[in-house]
Amino acid sequence: MPELPEVEIVRRRLDPRVVGRRVRRVVVTDPKVSPLDEAELDARLRGRQIVRTGRRGKWLLFELAAAASPANPPSAAPGADRGSPAKATEASEVYAIVHLRMTGRLLLDRDRDRPSARPRLTVGFDDGSHLYFYDVRRFGGVWVVPAADVDGFFGALGVEPLGDEFTVQILRDLMSGRAAPLKSFLLDQRHLAGVGNIYADEALFRARLHPLRPAGAVGPREAARLFAAVRETLQLGIEHEGSSVESFVDPAGERGRFQEILNVYQRTGLPCRTCDTPIRRIVVGGRGTHYCPRCQPRRNMRPPQGQPRRGRGRRGSPAGGTNRDAATHR
DNA sequence: AGTGGCTCCTGGCGGC
DNA sequence: TGCCGCCAGGAGCCAC
C-alpha cells in the first residue's frame, strides 16, 4: 500500500516522463474515480501542460500550466466563434491531485506489468502517449484543484515528516495531552502526513516504543527517538524504492526492496532481528500492528494527566497494567 | 474536541 | 473441486 516513500518513488519515476506533456484528452472508465465527471475533468485539463510534479504526504500532485492561451488569438477566420472572453479565468494553473490509497498505480504506455483490467482513468497526451490510473480496490481518486485552492484542499493535512518544518518540538507539541495510542497517532494524517501502517510499525520498533503507548505519555528523550525513527524509516523506504508488500510496483513495474529489511511488519511469530523474541501482532485502531514485546516494552502506559477520560472509560485503568493486548493476538 | 468504529472495495485465502 | 465468508487497509464520516 503506497505510503509516503512509495508515492515519492512513483513521483520521481514519473516526473521526467510526464513533465512537458500536454493533455489532449481525459477518459473516465470508472465514474467513482473522481468527484468530477469525465466532461468536467476533460474541460479542466485539456490543453494544459504538466510543468511540475509534487507530493504532499501520500498525495501526488501534477501542476499544470495555464491552458494554451491563444497567445496570439488566431484572428484568422473573422466570423469564427473564438470563444467567450471569460477564457481569461482559465489562465491560472491547476493541480491534478491523485491518491493511490490501497492499490492505485500510475503507468505509462511502455511500462511493463500493465494489468489486463481496464484503467479507471486515462489521460492522453498530445504526443500520443497515455498515463493510466489502475486501481483494483477502487479506493483511490483524482481531483483537479485551482492553484489558489490547493492550500485549502490540504488544509487538514499535518506536517511533512521529511520537511524542515518537522522538528522534535513540533512532534512533542502534537503528542502533548493525547491519550490515543502511538500507533493511531502516527497514522492520523492530521498530525503527520504520509505515515501509513508499515512505516508506523517500523518507526515504533526503531524508537523502541510500544504501539499502545499513549502519545501524551511519551517523554522528551523518547520523543526524540521517535522523531529520528520516523524520519529514518521513511528515508530508508525511499532509498529502498518502497515496500512491495502488497502489490506496489513503481511505474516501470519494478518492486521496491524495503520489505526485505522490515523488522516487524508482517513478521508475526518470526524472531526479532535484535533479540530473537517472536514478533507479536495486535490490532490497534482497527489496524494490524506488529511489534517486538521485548524491544518495545510496555512502560508508562498511563494516559496523560489532566485528560478527562471520555467514551466508555475502558481504557486507562490505572497503570494500564492490564493485559490489554492479549485480547487481539493472532 | 478527541477518539474509536464503521464503511467503502476486491482479490486472496482458509475452512468446509 | 467449489463455494462461502473473512481479511487487509487509507481516509471520510459519524457517534459517543
Side-chain angles (χ1 to χ4, degrees):
Chain A
M1 44 233 99
E3 304 180 24
L4 187 155
E6 289 75 29
V7 176
E8 178 61 20
I9 292 301
V10 170
R11 189 198 69 74
R12 291 183 187 182
R13 298 281 190 278
L14 281 177
D15 184 273
R17 306 171 67 196
V18 299
V19 167
R21 294 193 187 178
R22 194 176 293 279
V23 176
R24 184 176 53 84
R25 189 173 172 218
V26 179
V27 175
V28 172
T29 319
D30 176 8
K32 197 179 160 290
V33 75
S34 175
L36 302 172
D37 65 21
E38 182 178 273
E40 289 173 302
L41 283 170
D42 192 71
R44 294 192 191 194
L45 295 178
R46 184 193 287 259
R48 292 179 183 269
Q49 186 179 34
I50 298 178
V51 292
R52 200 169 297 133
T53 64
R55 181 191 54 75
R56 182 78 173 85
K58 301 173 194 172
W59 300 79
L60 191 56
L61 284 77
F62 297 88
E63 186 181 341
L64 292 112
S69 64
N72 314 310
S75 47
D81 179 4
R82 229 170 291 138
S84 68
K87 274 276 191 279
T89 58
E90 290 179 27
S92 56
E93 295 181 342
V94 302
Y95 284 82
I97 302 174
V98 178
H99 201 303
L100 303 173
R101 294 282 181 105
M102 301 296 301
T103 53
R105 298 174 61 189
L106 288 168
L107 299 175
L108 289 154
D109 283 295
R110 278 191 224 141
D111 287 330
R112 284 177 285 150
D113 210 32
R114 269 180 48 207
S116 50
R118 283 199 302 176
R120 300 180 67 198
L121 177 140
T122 304
V123 178
F125 297 107
D126 58 357
D127 62 357
S129 63
H130 302 85
L131 178 63
Y132 305 95
F133 181 43
Y134 293 94
D135 184 16
V136 173
R137 288 190 200 167
R138 303 171 66 201
F139 279 176
V142 177
W143 291 256
V144 177
V145 177
D149 298 342
V150 165
D151 286 348
F153 185 85
F154 291 120
L157 200 58
V159 64
E160 198 64 38
L162 292 181
D164 293 338
E165 67 276 21
F166 184 48
T167 62
V168 179
Q169 189 55 49
I170 295 281
L171 179 62
R172 290 186 62 190
D173 291 347
L174 288 169
M175 292 194 293
S176 169
R178 293 189 188 276
L182 279 175
K183 176 64 184 278
S184 304
F185 170 84
L186 289 176
L187 289 183
D188 192 330
Q189 302 296 298
R190 291 168 298 183
H191 305 141
L192 301 187
V195 178
N197 213 32
I198 300 173
Y199 293 90
D201 281 5
E202 292 298 316
L204 287 172
F205 175 82
R206 273 182 109 75
R208 306 196 302 280
L209 292 168
H210 195 288
L212 285 174
R213 187 84 176 277
V218 169
R221 205 172 293 181
E222 295 166 319
R225 286 210 311 262
L226 182 58
F227 170 80
V230 166
R231 286 170 69 112
E232 286 165 12
T233 307
L234 293 172
Q235 200 59 55
L236 216 50
I238 293 173
E239 285 166 17
H240 286 74
E241 292 156 314
S243 330
S244 295
V245 168
E246 291 255 316
S247 57
F248 172 74
V249 287
D250 75 8
E254 300 285 345
R255 290 167 58 83
R257 292 173 285 108
F258 190 66
Q259 72 280 2
E260 293 162 15
I261 60 163
L262 291 174
N263 285 301
V264 288
Y265 186 77
Q266 286 193 350
R267 297 195 67 243
T268 312
L270 295 174
C272 170
R273 298 190 200 278
T274 302
C275 72
D276 276 350
T277 305
I279 299 302
R280 210 173 273 184
R281 181 186 187 274
I282 57 175
V283 175
V284 182
R287 298 289 167 253
T289 298
H290 313 75
Y291 71 103
C292 170
R294 184 153 175 207
C295 296
Q296 299 165 264
R298 301 170 61 86
R299 70 162 65 107
N300 190 10
M301 303 298 272
R302 194 188 292 273
Q305 298 299 314
Q307 185 84 355
R309 275 176 215 130
R310 304 185 173 86
R312 278 141 293 244
R314 215 165 25 111
R315 191 157 27 83
S317 51
T322 52
N323 194 10
R324 195 185 318 151
D325 51 353
T328 44
H329 280 167
R330 248 213 210 160

